[in-house]
Amino acid sequence: MFTIGVLASGKGSNLKAILDYIKKEKLPIKTGVVLSDNIESFSLKIAEKEGIEHLCIPEKRHKTFLSAGTEEKYVKKLKECKVDLVCLAGFMRVLKKVFLQEFPWKIINIHPSLLPSFPGLAAWEQALNYGVRFTGCTTHFVEYGIDTGPIILQAVVPVLKEDTPESLHKRIQEKEHLIYPLTVRLISEGKIKILNRRVYISNI
Ligand code: GRF
């Protein structure tokens, strides 16, 4: 069975969307483990409710990345659970090269903008402040860097005159909940290939 591991720091709505989609479509995908750096993360409660193995691995020394020792713990757990794919779903830490090398092109992320525009924090607010007419969300393979890596799927969200950061973020998240589960499905079905850093998708 194709097995995923999910890393999440926040409210876990993308995790929930992936789990619901797997159930609804009866996909042969197992969620092997949910890991978080934040004991308060709702993702851990979602995993518990669904009977999925879950664990908080905190990082005390750094705020934006994991120390080598902590990364090792994440990698060990993911390997133990034999995950085929690591899904970052609002995991608020940058992964370092050692972590990435353990899972070459097997780590994906969702970002709330049309990358390469607006990487980093509060991307919906960046888009609003810049004045773009359209923004959206992107799934991509993770490489070393902040929100960089070969793009898999994107969905477009128009920016409305009356938008506040909250309203725009909400509409972006609705699209995230469509493209992230679909991305996981396509990868599990072997329909995504990378060639020279470019992603090719077959038969959807
Ligand atoms: C999403 O907006 C995602 O794009 C970003 O972090 C947020 C996570 O949201 N990487 P949630 O915890 O899945 O609700």
Side-chain angles (χ1 to χ4, degrees):
M1 175 97 79
F2 189 86
T3 303
I4 61 169
V6 180
L7 271 55
S9 306
K11 66 181 194 289
S13 71
N14 279 285
L15 165 67
K16 177 86 171 54
I18 292 169
L19 298 177
D20 288 350
Y21 183 73
I22 292 172
K23 264 198 228 162
K24 184 168 141 268
E25 299 290 321
K26 299 188 175 62
L27 300 177
I29 300 176
K30 177 182 161 193
T31 307
V33 70
V34 171
L35 300 175
S36 183
D37 56 334
N38 171 17
I39 190 71
E40 304 290 331
S41 172
F42 209 68
S43 62
L44 295 171
K45 296 188 182 71
I46 295 171
E48 179 161 24
K49 189 160 164 267
E50 296 291 327
I52 296 167
E53 182 169 354
H54 54 285
L55 188 67
C56 175
I57 308 179
E59 165 63 52
K60 299 212 170 69
R61 268 192 288 161
H62 307 286
K63 280 206 160 68
T64 55
F65 60 96
L66 303 169
S67 61
T70 313
E71 272 208 344
E72 229 172 79
K73 290 184 193 164
Y74 275 83
V75 169
K76 189 164 171 268
K77 192 73 208 167
L78 291 163
K79 295 261 173 190
E80 239 173 65
C81 296
K82 299 194 167 43
V83 307
D84 299 294
L85 182 70
V86 178
C87 305
L88 306 183
F91 190 64
M92 301 307 282
R93 311 237 177 204
V94 178
L95 303 183
K96 288 195 292 207
K97 278 189 182 139
V98 181
F99 199 134
L100 300 177
Q101 276 159 8
E102 293 287 343
F103 300 97
W105 297 136
K106 288 193 164 88
I107 306 176
I108 58 172
N109 182 40
I110 179 123
H111 183 75
S113 76
L114 294 174
L115 289 173
S117 293
F118 312 126
L121 293 176
W124 56 90
E125 206 161 334
Q126 294 185 49
L128 202 58
N129 291 340
Y130 198 94
V132 291
R133 303 288 179 229
F134 295 93
T135 182
C137 50
T138 303
T139 55
H140 65 97
F141 287 101
V142 174
E143 61 181 13
Y144 194 61
I146 295 179
D147 301 318
T148 60
I151 286 171
I152 309 168
L153 297 181
Q154 293 189 302
V156 175
V157 174
V159 180
L160 308 177
K161 226 177 32 241
E162 60 274 20
D163 260 330
T164 60
E166 293 72 31
S167 65
L168 183 56
H169 187 208
K170 185 165 174 286
R171 289 204 318 288
I172 292 173
Q173 283 229 292
E174 284 165 12
K175 296 284 189 194
E176 290 184 346
H177 300 158
L178 300 177
I179 68 165
Y180 211 7
L182 183 57
T183 300
V184 172
R185 178 187 192 155
L186 293 172
I187 294 174
S188 76
E189 291 173 344
K191 289 186 174 156
I192 305 242
K193 300 269 174 282
I194 310 184
L195 225 110
N196 299 327
R197 284 194 79 264
R198 197 154 154 205
V199 171
Y200 294 86
I201 306 174
S202 58
N203 300 333
I204 53 168

